[in-house]
Amino acid sequence: MQRHGWLELLQLLHGIEEYFWKKRGAHLLVSPLDWAIMETWQRAGVPLEAVLKGIDRAFESYGRSRRGRENR
Protein backbone atom coordinates (compact mmCIF):
# COMPACT_ATOMS: atom_id res chain seq x y z
CA MET A 1 0.00 0.00 0.00
CA GLN A 2 1.35 3.42 -0.91
CA ARG A 3 1.97 6.04 1.74
CA HIS A 4 -1.05 7.98 0.50
CA GLY A 5 -3.16 4.85 0.85
CA TRP A 6 -2.06 4.40 4.46
CA LEU A 7 -3.07 7.95 5.30
CA GLU A 8 -6.50 7.41 3.78
CA LEU A 9 -6.85 4.13 5.66
CA LEU A 10 -5.93 5.72 8.98
CA GLN A 11 -8.39 8.55 8.41
CA LEU A 12 -11.13 6.07 7.55
CA LEU A 13 -10.42 3.89 10.56
CA HIS A 14 -10.33 6.88 12.89
CA GLY A 15 -13.63 8.16 11.51
CA ILE A 16 -15.32 4.78 11.96
CA GLU A 17 -13.88 4.37 15.45
CA GLU A 18 -15.07 7.83 16.57
CA TYR A 19 -18.53 7.22 15.13
CA PHE A 20 -18.77 3.89 16.94
CA TRP A 21 -17.74 5.59 20.19
CA LYS A 22 -20.46 8.22 19.76
CA LYS A 23 -23.10 5.58 19.09
CA ARG A 24 -21.98 3.47 22.04
CA GLY A 25 -21.66 6.45 24.38
CA ALA A 26 -18.26 5.31 25.62
CA HIS A 27 -14.74 4.85 24.38
CA LEU A 28 -14.21 1.19 23.69
CA LEU A 29 -11.25 -0.59 22.29
CA VAL A 30 -11.70 -1.68 18.71
CA SER A 31 -10.46 -5.24 18.37
CA PRO A 32 -7.76 -6.31 15.90
CA LEU A 33 -10.48 -8.20 14.01
CA ASP A 34 -12.54 -4.99 13.76
CA TRP A 35 -9.51 -3.15 12.36
CA ALA A 36 -8.96 -5.92 9.80
CA ILE A 37 -12.61 -5.77 8.74
CA MET A 38 -12.43 -1.99 8.37
CA GLU A 39 -9.27 -2.31 6.26
CA THR A 40 -11.09 -4.82 4.04
CA TRP A 41 -13.92 -2.32 3.57
CA GLN A 42 -11.42 0.38 2.62
CA ARG A 43 -9.65 -1.88 0.12
CA ALA A 44 -13.00 -2.85 -1.40
CA GLY A 45 -13.88 0.83 -1.80
CA VAL A 46 -16.87 0.77 0.55
CA PRO A 47 -17.82 4.41 1.10
CA LEU A 48 -17.60 5.74 4.66
CA GLU A 49 -21.27 6.74 4.48
CA ALA A 50 -22.25 3.11 3.85
CA VAL A 51 -20.15 1.92 6.79
CA LEU A 52 -21.74 4.47 9.12
CA LYS A 53 -25.24 3.50 7.96
CA GLY A 54 -24.35 -0.12 8.71
CA ILE A 55 -23.24 0.84 12.21
CA ASP A 56 -26.53 2.72 12.70
CA ARG A 57 -28.53 -0.32 11.59
CA ALA A 58 -26.57 -2.63 13.87
CA PHE A 59 -27.21 -0.40 16.89
CA GLU A 60 -30.92 -0.06 15.98
CA SER A 61 -31.27 -3.82 15.62
CA TYR A 62 -29.47 -4.40 18.91
CA GLY A 63 -31.71 -1.85 20.62
CA ARG A 64 -34.85 -3.53 19.30
CA SER A 65 -33.67 -6.97 20.43
CA ARG A 66 -32.87 -5.66 23.93
CA ARG A 67 -36.27 -3.99 24.24
CA GLY A 68 -37.93 -7.25 23.22
CA ARG A 69 -36.14 -9.18 25.98
CA GLU A 70 -37.02 -6.54 28.59
CA ASN A 71 -40.72 -6.87 27.81
CA ARG A 72 -40.79 -10.61 28.54
mmCIF file of all heavy atoms in Angstrom, residues 2-46:
data_model
loop_
_atom_site.group_PDB
_atom_site.id
_atom_site.type_symbol
_atom_site.label_atom_id
_atom_site.label_comp_id
_atom_site.label_asym_id
_atom_site.label_seq_id
_atom_site.Cartn_x
_atom_site.Cartn_y
_atom_site.Cartn_z
ATOM 1 N N GLN A 2 0.574 2.192 -0.834
ATOM 2 C CA GLN A 2 1.353 3.419 -0.911
ATOM 3 C C GLN A 2 1.152 4.241 0.347
ATOM 4 O O GLN A 2 0.193 4.060 1.087
ATOM 5 C CB GLN A 2 0.916 4.245 -2.121
ATOM 6 C CG GLN A 2 1.075 3.554 -3.438
ATOM 7 C CD GLN A 2 0.419 4.357 -4.545
ATOM 8 O OE1 GLN A 2 -0.333 5.285 -4.310
ATOM 9 N NE2 GLN A 2 0.725 3.992 -5.767
ATOM 10 N N ARG A 3 2.066 5.177 0.565
ATOM 11 C CA ARG A 3 1.968 6.040 1.745
ATOM 12 C C ARG A 3 0.637 6.777 1.753
ATOM 13 O O ARG A 3 -0.020 6.896 2.777
ATOM 14 C CB ARG A 3 3.130 7.020 1.763
ATOM 15 C CG ARG A 3 3.157 7.835 3.017
ATOM 16 C CD ARG A 3 4.438 8.598 3.114
ATOM 17 N NE ARG A 3 4.523 9.156 4.441
ATOM 18 C CZ ARG A 3 4.958 10.352 4.690
ATOM 19 N NH1 ARG A 3 5.369 11.128 3.717
ATOM 20 N NH2 ARG A 3 5.015 10.801 5.920
ATOM 21 N N HIS A 4 0.227 7.268 0.603
ATOM 22 C CA HIS A 4 -1.047 7.982 0.499
ATOM 23 C C HIS A 4 -2.196 7.057 0.893
ATOM 24 O O HIS A 4 -3.129 7.459 1.579
ATOM 25 C CB HIS A 4 -1.232 8.508 -0.933
ATOM 26 C CG HIS A 4 -2.517 9.234 -1.139
ATOM 27 N ND1 HIS A 4 -2.764 10.456 -0.564
ATOM 28 C CD2 HIS A 4 -3.618 8.912 -1.838
ATOM 29 C CE1 HIS A 4 -3.979 10.855 -0.916
ATOM 30 N NE2 HIS A 4 -4.513 9.926 -1.686
ATOM 31 N N GLY A 5 -2.128 5.814 0.506
ATOM 32 C CA GLY A 5 -3.162 4.847 0.852
ATOM 33 C C GLY A 5 -3.242 4.598 2.349
ATOM 34 O O GLY A 5 -4.320 4.434 2.903
ATOM 35 N N TRP A 6 -2.081 4.582 3.009
ATOM 36 C CA TRP A 6 -2.063 4.398 4.460
ATOM 37 C C TRP A 6 -2.729 5.565 5.167
ATOM 38 O O TRP A 6 -3.483 5.376 6.119
ATOM 39 C CB TRP A 6 -0.644 4.227 4.982
ATOM 40 C CG TRP A 6 -0.129 2.836 4.825
ATOM 41 C CD1 TRP A 6 0.833 2.411 3.966
ATOM 42 C CD2 TRP A 6 -0.566 1.678 5.539
ATOM 43 N NE1 TRP A 6 1.016 1.049 4.097
ATOM 44 C CE2 TRP A 6 0.177 0.582 5.061
ATOM 45 C CE3 TRP A 6 -1.511 1.457 6.531
ATOM 46 C CZ2 TRP A 6 0.002 -0.708 5.547
ATOM 47 C CZ3 TRP A 6 -1.684 0.165 7.012
ATOM 48 C CH2 TRP A 6 -0.935 -0.895 6.520
ATOM 49 N N LEU A 7 -2.465 6.770 4.697
ATOM 50 C CA LEU A 7 -3.066 7.950 5.304
ATOM 51 C C LEU A 7 -4.584 7.892 5.160
ATOM 52 O O LEU A 7 -5.312 8.139 6.123
ATOM 53 C CB LEU A 7 -2.513 9.233 4.671
ATOM 54 C CG LEU A 7 -3.085 10.539 5.214
ATOM 55 C CD1 LEU A 7 -2.820 10.667 6.706
ATOM 56 C CD2 LEU A 7 -2.472 11.714 4.467
ATOM 57 N N GLU A 8 -5.064 7.541 3.990
ATOM 58 C CA GLU A 8 -6.503 7.409 3.781
ATOM 59 C C GLU A 8 -7.093 6.328 4.687
ATOM 60 O O GLU A 8 -8.166 6.507 5.254
ATOM 61 C CB GLU A 8 -6.804 7.072 2.323
ATOM 62 C CG GLU A 8 -6.592 8.229 1.382
ATOM 63 C CD GLU A 8 -6.832 7.837 -0.061
ATOM 64 O OE1 GLU A 8 -7.058 6.635 -0.341
ATOM 65 O OE2 GLU A 8 -6.794 8.723 -0.912
ATOM 66 N N LEU A 9 -6.385 5.219 4.810
ATOM 67 C CA LEU A 9 -6.854 4.131 5.661
ATOM 68 C C LEU A 9 -6.944 4.590 7.113
ATOM 69 O O LEU A 9 -7.948 4.352 7.785
ATOM 70 C CB LEU A 9 -5.937 2.912 5.546
ATOM 71 C CG LEU A 9 -6.260 1.747 6.481
ATOM 72 C CD1 LEU A 9 -7.659 1.206 6.219
ATOM 73 C CD2 LEU A 9 -5.220 0.650 6.326
ATOM 74 N N LEU A 10 -5.919 5.256 7.602
ATOM 75 C CA LEU A 10 -5.934 5.721 8.984
ATOM 76 C C LEU A 10 -7.057 6.718 9.233
ATOM 77 O O LEU A 10 -7.719 6.671 10.272
ATOM 78 C CB LEU A 10 -4.582 6.333 9.349
ATOM 79 C CG LEU A 10 -3.426 5.349 9.460
ATOM 80 C CD1 LEU A 10 -2.107 6.093 9.698
ATOM 81 C CD2 LEU A 10 -3.671 4.337 10.569
ATOM 82 N N GLN A 11 -7.298 7.599 8.276
ATOM 83 C CA GLN A 11 -8.394 8.553 8.412
ATOM 84 C C GLN A 11 -9.736 7.834 8.444
ATOM 85 O O GLN A 11 -10.614 8.161 9.235
ATOM 86 C CB GLN A 11 -8.352 9.581 7.286
ATOM 87 C CG GLN A 11 -7.213 10.554 7.404
ATOM 88 C CD GLN A 11 -7.063 11.445 6.181
ATOM 89 O OE1 GLN A 11 -7.510 11.098 5.092
ATOM 90 N NE2 GLN A 11 -6.434 12.583 6.373
ATOM 91 N N LEU A 12 -9.904 6.849 7.580
ATOM 92 C CA LEU A 12 -11.134 6.073 7.547
ATOM 93 C C LEU A 12 -11.335 5.339 8.865
ATOM 94 O O LEU A 12 -12.413 5.403 9.462
ATOM 95 C CB LEU A 12 -11.104 5.067 6.394
ATOM 96 C CG LEU A 12 -12.285 4.106 6.345
ATOM 97 C CD1 LEU A 12 -13.535 4.833 5.876
ATOM 98 C CD2 LEU A 12 -11.981 2.936 5.442
ATOM 99 N N LEU A 13 -10.308 4.656 9.328
ATOM 100 C CA LEU A 13 -10.415 3.894 10.565
ATOM 101 C C LEU A 13 -10.730 4.799 11.745
ATOM 102 O O LEU A 13 -11.570 4.466 12.587
ATOM 103 C CB LEU A 13 -9.132 3.108 10.820
ATOM 104 C CG LEU A 13 -8.765 2.049 9.790
ATOM 105 C CD1 LEU A 13 -7.449 1.385 10.159
ATOM 106 C CD2 LEU A 13 -9.852 1.023 9.622
ATOM 107 N N HIS A 14 -10.085 5.937 11.796
ATOM 108 C CA HIS A 14 -10.326 6.883 12.886
ATOM 109 C C HIS A 14 -11.770 7.387 12.839
ATOM 110 O O HIS A 14 -12.433 7.493 13.869
ATOM 111 C CB HIS A 14 -9.337 8.043 12.819
ATOM 112 C CG HIS A 14 -9.486 9.021 13.922
ATOM 113 N ND1 HIS A 14 -9.164 8.725 15.223
ATOM 114 C CD2 HIS A 14 -9.948 10.290 13.930
ATOM 115 C CE1 HIS A 14 -9.421 9.763 15.983
ATOM 116 N NE2 HIS A 14 -9.901 10.736 15.224
ATOM 117 N N GLY A 15 -12.258 7.690 11.653
ATOM 118 C CA GLY A 15 -13.631 8.159 11.507
ATOM 119 C C GLY A 15 -14.640 7.116 11.949
ATOM 120 O O GLY A 15 -15.608 7.425 12.654
ATOM 121 N N ILE A 16 -14.413 5.867 11.564
ATOM 122 C CA ILE A 16 -15.317 4.784 11.960
ATOM 123 C C ILE A 16 -15.255 4.578 13.472
ATOM 124 O O ILE A 16 -16.286 4.439 14.134
ATOM 125 C CB ILE A 16 -14.964 3.478 11.219
ATOM 126 C CG1 ILE A 16 -15.216 3.639 9.721
ATOM 127 C CG2 ILE A 16 -15.762 2.302 11.793
ATOM 128 C CD1 ILE A 16 -14.678 2.504 8.876
ATOM 129 N N GLU A 17 -14.054 4.582 14.010
ATOM 130 C CA GLU A 17 -13.876 4.375 15.445
ATOM 131 C C GLU A 17 -14.585 5.472 16.250
ATOM 132 O O GLU A 17 -15.315 5.180 17.207
ATOM 133 C CB GLU A 17 -12.382 4.355 15.770
ATOM 134 C CG GLU A 17 -12.059 4.011 17.202
ATOM 135 C CD GLU A 17 -10.562 3.945 17.419
ATOM 136 O OE1 GLU A 17 -9.844 4.866 16.979
ATOM 137 O OE2 GLU A 17 -10.122 2.971 18.034
ATOM 138 N N GLU A 18 -14.420 6.720 15.861
ATOM 139 C CA GLU A 18 -15.067 7.828 16.566
ATOM 140 C C GLU A 18 -16.589 7.724 16.472
ATOM 141 O O GLU A 18 -17.295 7.984 17.441
ATOM 142 C CB GLU A 18 -14.613 9.172 16.012
ATOM 143 C CG GLU A 18 -13.292 9.628 16.551
ATOM 144 C CD GLU A 18 -13.005 11.086 16.217
ATOM 145 O OE1 GLU A 18 -13.743 11.695 15.418
ATOM 146 O OE2 GLU A 18 -12.041 11.604 16.788
ATOM 147 N N TYR A 19 -17.090 7.358 15.306
ATOM 148 C CA TYR A 19 -18.532 7.224 15.130
ATOM 149 C C TYR A 19 -19.074 6.114 16.026
ATOM 150 O O TYR A 19 -20.108 6.274 16.673
ATOM 151 C CB TYR A 19 -18.863 6.944 13.663
ATOM 152 C CG TYR A 19 -20.325 7.079 13.360
ATOM 153 C CD1 TYR A 19 -20.917 8.331 13.265
ATOM 154 C CD2 TYR A 19 -21.125 5.965 13.176
ATOM 155 C CE1 TYR A 19 -22.270 8.472 12.992
ATOM 156 C CE2 TYR A 19 -22.473 6.089 12.899
ATOM 157 C CZ TYR A 19 -23.040 7.342 12.808
ATOM 158 O OH TYR A 19 -24.371 7.476 12.542
ATOM 159 N N PHE A 20 -18.362 5.005 16.084
ATOM 160 C CA PHE A 20 -18.767 3.895 16.943
ATOM 161 C C PHE A 20 -18.795 4.348 18.398
ATOM 162 O O PHE A 20 -19.725 4.031 19.133
ATOM 163 C CB PHE A 20 -17.823 2.710 16.748
ATOM 164 C CG PHE A 20 -18.201 1.507 17.557
ATOM 165 C CD1 PHE A 20 -19.252 0.698 17.164
ATOM 166 C CD2 PHE A 20 -17.516 1.184 18.706
ATOM 167 C CE1 PHE A 20 -19.613 -0.427 17.906
ATOM 168 C CE2 PHE A 20 -17.863 0.069 19.455
ATOM 169 C CZ PHE A 20 -18.919 -0.730 19.051
ATOM 170 N N TRP A 21 -17.783 5.089 18.816
ATOM 171 C CA TRP A 21 -17.739 5.585 20.194
ATOM 172 C C TRP A 21 -18.956 6.454 20.495
ATOM 173 O O TRP A 21 -19.550 6.362 21.555
ATOM 174 C CB TRP A 21 -16.477 6.389 20.443
ATOM 175 C CG TRP A 21 -15.221 5.580 20.519
ATOM 176 C CD1 TRP A 21 -15.095 4.231 20.695
ATOM 177 C CD2 TRP A 21 -13.900 6.079 20.401
ATOM 178 N NE1 TRP A 21 -13.770 3.881 20.698
ATOM 179 C CE2 TRP A 21 -13.019 4.984 20.525
ATOM 180 C CE3 TRP A 21 -13.365 7.350 20.209
ATOM 181 C CZ2 TRP A 21 -11.642 5.119 20.478
ATOM 182 C CZ3 TRP A 21 -11.992 7.493 20.159
ATOM 183 C CH2 TRP A 21 -11.141 6.391 20.289
ATOM 184 N N LYS A 22 -19.306 7.331 19.563
ATOM 185 C CA LYS A 22 -20.455 8.219 19.764
ATOM 186 C C LYS A 22 -21.750 7.414 19.875
ATOM 187 O O LYS A 22 -22.600 7.712 20.710
ATOM 188 C CB LYS A 22 -20.566 9.223 18.619
ATOM 189 C CG LYS A 22 -19.497 10.286 18.664
ATOM 190 C CD LYS A 22 -19.589 11.209 17.466
ATOM 191 C CE LYS A 22 -18.417 12.164 17.439
ATOM 192 N NZ LYS A 22 -18.406 12.976 16.230
ATOM 193 N N LYS A 23 -21.909 6.407 19.043
ATOM 194 C CA LYS A 23 -23.104 5.577 19.088
ATOM 195 C C LYS A 23 -23.167 4.791 20.394
ATOM 196 O O LYS A 23 -24.225 4.650 20.981
ATOM 197 C CB LYS A 23 -23.160 4.599 17.914
ATOM 198 C CG LYS A 23 -23.297 5.242 16.559
ATOM 199 C CD LYS A 23 -24.601 5.970 16.392
ATOM 200 C CE LYS A 23 -25.760 5.038 16.238
ATOM 201 N NZ LYS A 23 -27.025 5.709 15.925
ATOM 202 N N ARG A 24 -22.047 4.302 20.838
ATOM 203 C CA ARG A 24 -21.982 3.472 22.044
ATOM 204 C C ARG A 24 -22.085 4.325 23.304
ATOM 205 O O ARG A 24 -22.533 3.865 24.331
ATOM 206 C CB ARG A 24 -20.670 2.689 22.027
ATOM 207 C CG ARG A 24 -20.438 1.807 23.192
ATOM 208 C CD ARG A 24 -21.289 0.572 23.118
ATOM 209 N NE ARG A 24 -20.863 -0.319 24.177
ATOM 210 C CZ ARG A 24 -21.671 -1.066 24.871
ATOM 211 N NH1 ARG A 24 -22.935 -1.089 24.599
ATOM 212 N NH2 ARG A 24 -21.217 -1.838 25.815
ATOM 213 N N GLY A 25 -21.638 5.572 23.216
ATOM 214 C CA GLY A 25 -21.660 6.450 24.382
ATOM 215 C C GLY A 25 -20.464 6.261 25.291
ATOM 216 O O GLY A 25 -20.442 6.748 26.415
ATOM 217 N N ALA A 26 -19.470 5.550 24.830
ATOM 218 C CA ALA A 26 -18.265 5.311 25.623
ATOM 219 C C ALA A 26 -17.121 4.942 24.694
ATOM 220 O O ALA A 26 -17.338 4.422 23.603
ATOM 221 C CB ALA A 26 -18.497 4.176 26.619
ATOM 222 N N HIS A 27 -15.921 5.244 25.150
ATOM 223 C CA HIS A 27 -14.742 4.851 24.382
ATOM 224 C C HIS A 27 -14.463 3.378 24.647
ATOM 225 O O HIS A 27 -14.292 2.964 25.780
ATOM 226 C CB HIS A 27 -13.522 5.687 24.775
ATOM 227 C CG HIS A 27 -13.579 7.066 24.240
ATOM 228 N ND1 HIS A 27 -13.024 7.415 23.040
ATOM 229 C CD2 HIS A 27 -14.162 8.192 24.704
ATOM 230 C CE1 HIS A 27 -13.234 8.686 22.803
ATOM 231 N NE2 HIS A 27 -13.942 9.189 23.801
ATOM 232 N N LEU A 28 -14.504 2.609 23.608
ATOM 233 C CA LEU A 28 -14.211 1.188 23.691
ATOM 234 C C LEU A 28 -13.037 0.872 22.793
ATOM 235 O O LEU A 28 -12.819 1.543 21.790
ATOM 236 C CB LEU A 28 -15.408 0.362 23.213
ATOM 237 C CG LEU A 28 -16.697 0.504 23.998
ATOM 238 C CD1 LEU A 28 -17.809 -0.259 23.290
ATOM 239 C CD2 LEU A 28 -16.514 -0.040 25.392
ATOM 240 N N LEU A 29 -12.325 -0.151 23.150
ATOM 241 C CA LEU A 29 -11.252 -0.594 22.286
ATOM 242 C C LEU A 29 -11.845 -1.296 21.073
ATOM 243 O O LEU A 29 -12.797 -2.076 21.196
ATOM 244 C CB LEU A 29 -10.326 -1.558 23.021
ATOM 245 C CG LEU A 29 -9.530 -0.973 24.176
ATOM 246 C CD1 LEU A 29 -8.737 -2.075 24.856
ATOM 247 C CD2 LEU A 29 -8.613 0.135 23.699
ATOM 248 N N VAL A 30 -11.306 -0.989 19.928
ATOM 249 C CA VAL A 30 -11.700 -1.682 18.707
ATOM 250 C C VAL A 30 -10.733 -2.849 18.559
ATOM 251 O O VAL A 30 -9.525 -2.682 18.617
ATOM 252 C CB VAL A 30 -11.635 -0.730 17.489
ATOM 253 C CG1 VAL A 30 -11.991 -1.449 16.221
ATOM 254 C CG2 VAL A 30 -12.573 0.456 17.713
ATOM 255 N N SER A 31 -11.278 -4.035 18.393
ATOM 256 C CA SER A 31 -10.458 -5.241 18.369
ATOM 257 C C SER A 31 -9.617 -5.313 17.089
ATOM 258 O O SER A 31 -9.951 -4.686 16.083
ATOM 259 C CB SER A 31 -11.342 -6.485 18.463
ATOM 260 O OG SER A 31 -11.993 -6.715 17.231
ATOM 261 N N PRO A 32 -8.552 -6.110 17.115
ATOM 262 C CA PRO A 32 -7.762 -6.312 15.899
ATOM 263 C C PRO A 32 -8.613 -6.851 14.740
ATOM 264 O O PRO A 32 -8.397 -6.484 13.593
ATOM 265 C CB PRO A 32 -6.703 -7.325 16.327
ATOM 266 C CG PRO A 32 -6.535 -7.088 17.797
ATOM 267 C CD PRO A 32 -7.929 -6.749 18.284
ATOM 268 N N LEU A 33 -9.590 -7.693 15.052
ATOM 269 C CA LEU A 33 -10.475 -8.204 14.010
ATOM 270 C C LEU A 33 -11.296 -7.065 13.407
ATOM 271 O O LEU A 33 -11.471 -6.997 12.188
ATOM 272 C CB LEU A 33 -11.401 -9.287 14.565
ATOM 273 C CG LEU A 33 -12.403 -9.877 13.583
ATOM 274 C CD1 LEU A 33 -11.700 -10.489 12.371
ATOM 275 C CD2 LEU A 33 -13.275 -10.904 14.271
ATOM 276 N N ASP A 34 -11.798 -6.155 14.254
ATOM 277 C CA ASP A 34 -12.537 -4.993 13.757
ATOM 278 C C ASP A 34 -11.673 -4.154 12.819
ATOM 279 O O ASP A 34 -12.131 -3.721 11.772
ATOM 280 C CB ASP A 34 -13.027 -4.118 14.909
ATOM 281 C CG ASP A 34 -14.054 -4.801 15.789
ATOM 282 O OD1 ASP A 34 -14.783 -5.675 15.283
ATOM 283 O OD2 ASP A 34 -14.119 -4.458 16.987
ATOM 284 N N TRP A 35 -10.423 -3.935 13.208
ATOM 285 C CA TRP A 35 -9.509 -3.154 12.359
ATOM 286 C C TRP A 35 -9.321 -3.851 11.013
ATOM 287 O O TRP A 35 -9.309 -3.202 9.968
ATOM 288 C CB TRP A 35 -8.151 -2.959 13.038
ATOM 289 C CG TRP A 35 -8.173 -1.970 14.161
ATOM 290 C CD1 TRP A 35 -8.190 -2.254 15.496
ATOM 291 C CD2 TRP A 35 -8.202 -0.549 14.051
ATOM 292 N NE1 TRP A 35 -8.229 -1.082 16.203
ATOM 293 C CE2 TRP A 35 -8.230 -0.022 15.356
ATOM 294 C CE3 TRP A 35 -8.207 0.340 12.973
ATOM 295 C CZ2 TRP A 35 -8.254 1.340 15.619
ATOM 296 C CZ3 TRP A 35 -8.219 1.707 13.243
ATOM 297 C CH2 TRP A 35 -8.254 2.193 14.543
ATOM 298 N N ALA A 36 -9.155 -5.169 11.049
ATOM 299 C CA ALA A 36 -8.958 -5.920 9.804
ATOM 300 C C ALA A 36 -10.195 -5.822 8.910
ATOM 301 O O ALA A 36 -10.071 -5.675 7.685
ATOM 302 C CB ALA A 36 -8.643 -7.383 10.121
ATOM 303 N N ILE A 37 -11.375 -5.893 9.514
ATOM 304 C CA ILE A 37 -12.613 -5.772 8.737
ATOM 305 C C ILE A 37 -12.700 -4.386 8.106
ATOM 306 O O ILE A 37 -13.034 -4.235 6.933
ATOM 307 C CB ILE A 37 -13.836 -6.070 9.618
ATOM 308 C CG1 ILE A 37 -13.861 -7.550 9.986
ATOM 309 C CG2 ILE A 37 -15.129 -5.648 8.925
ATOM 310 C CD1 ILE A 37 -14.856 -7.900 11.073
ATOM 311 N N MET A 38 -12.375 -3.353 8.891
ATOM 312 C CA MET A 38 -12.430 -1.985 8.366
ATOM 313 C C MET A 38 -11.432 -1.789 7.223
ATOM 314 O O MET A 38 -11.730 -1.118 6.235
ATOM 315 C CB MET A 38 -12.189 -0.970 9.485
ATOM 316 C CG MET A 38 -13.338 -0.919 10.481
ATOM 317 S SD MET A 38 -13.189 0.385 11.721
ATOM 318 C CE MET A 38 -11.911 -0.247 12.791
ATOM 319 N N GLU A 39 -10.267 -2.403 7.339
ATOM 320 C CA GLU A 39 -9.274 -2.314 6.261
ATOM 321 C C GLU A 39 -9.801 -2.994 5.005
ATOM 322 O O GLU A 39 -9.623 -2.500 3.892
ATOM 323 C CB GLU A 39 -7.952 -2.942 6.693
ATOM 324 C CG GLU A 39 -6.882 -2.803 5.644
ATOM 325 C CD GLU A 39 -5.544 -3.369 6.076
ATOM 326 O OE1 GLU A 39 -5.423 -3.910 7.195
ATOM 327 O OE2 GLU A 39 -4.598 -3.287 5.274
ATOM 328 N N THR A 40 -10.492 -4.118 5.178
ATOM 329 C CA THR A 40 -11.086 -4.818 4.043
ATOM 330 C C THR A 40 -12.113 -3.943 3.350
ATOM 331 O O THR A 40 -12.175 -3.884 2.121
ATOM 332 C CB THR A 40 -11.731 -6.144 4.512
ATOM 333 O OG1 THR A 40 -10.721 -6.946 5.124
ATOM 334 C CG2 THR A 40 -12.365 -6.895 3.369
ATOM 335 N N TRP A 41 -12.936 -3.241 4.146
ATOM 336 C CA TRP A 41 -13.923 -2.323 3.565
ATOM 337 C C TRP A 41 -13.233 -1.233 2.757
ATOM 338 O O TRP A 41 -13.663 -0.895 1.664
ATOM 339 C CB TRP A 41 -14.764 -1.669 4.651
ATOM 340 C CG TRP A 41 -15.650 -2.589 5.428
ATOM 341 C CD1 TRP A 41 -16.137 -3.802 5.034
ATOM 342 C CD2 TRP A 41 -16.166 -2.363 6.732
ATOM 343 N NE1 TRP A 41 -16.918 -4.334 6.026
ATOM 344 C CE2 TRP A 41 -16.962 -3.480 7.070
ATOM 345 C CE3 TRP A 41 -16.036 -1.328 7.654
ATOM 346 C CZ2 TRP A 41 -17.627 -3.581 8.291
ATOM 347 C CZ3 TRP A 41 -16.697 -1.423 8.867
ATOM 348 C CH2 TRP A 41 -17.481 -2.539 9.174
ATOM 349 N N GLN A 42 -12.148 -0.703 3.302
ATOM 350 C CA GLN A 42 -11.424 0.376 2.617
ATOM 351 C C GLN A 42 -10.851 -0.137 1.308
ATOM 352 O O GLN A 42 -10.975 0.512 0.278
ATOM 353 C CB GLN A 42 -10.317 0.931 3.521
ATOM 354 C CG GLN A 42 -9.667 2.182 2.998
ATOM 355 C CD GLN A 42 -8.439 1.926 2.140
ATOM 356 O OE1 GLN A 42 -7.831 0.861 2.175
ATOM 357 N NE2 GLN A 42 -8.072 2.904 1.358
ATOM 358 N N ARG A 43 -10.243 -1.306 1.341
ATOM 359 C CA ARG A 43 -9.654 -1.878 0.119
ATOM 360 C C ARG A 43 -10.720 -2.180 -0.936
ATOM 361 O O ARG A 43 -10.460 -2.097 -2.123
ATOM 362 C CB ARG A 43 -8.874 -3.140 0.446
ATOM 363 C CG ARG A 43 -7.572 -2.856 1.130
ATOM 364 C CD ARG A 43 -6.790 -4.112 1.347
ATOM 365 N NE ARG A 43 -5.514 -3.793 1.964
ATOM 366 C CZ ARG A 43 -4.671 -4.698 2.396
ATOM 367 N NH1 ARG A 43 -4.943 -5.972 2.276
ATOM 368 N NH2 ARG A 43 -3.538 -4.323 2.938
ATOM 369 N N ALA A 44 -11.908 -2.538 -0.470
ATOM 370 C CA ALA A 44 -13.000 -2.845 -1.399
ATOM 371 C C ALA A 44 -13.681 -1.579 -1.906
ATOM 372 O O ALA A 44 -14.550 -1.653 -2.775
ATOM 373 C CB ALA A 44 -14.025 -3.741 -0.707
ATOM 374 N N GLY A 45 -13.300 -0.437 -1.350
ATOM 375 C CA GLY A 45 -13.877 0.828 -1.795
ATOM 376 C C GLY A 45 -15.251 1.128 -1.224
ATOM 377 O O GLY A 45 -16.007 1.916 -1.799
ATOM 378 N N VAL A 46 -15.574 0.505 -0.091
ATOM 379 C CA VAL A 46 -16.870 0.773 0.547
ATOM 380 C C VAL A 46 -16.849 2.209 1.071
ATOM 381 O O VAL A 46 -15.961 2.575 1.839
ATOM 382 C CB VAL A 46 -17.150 -0.219 1.702
ATOM 383 C CG1 VAL A 46 -18.455 0.115 2.397
ATOM 384 C CG2 VAL A 46 -17.135 -1.649 1.197
#
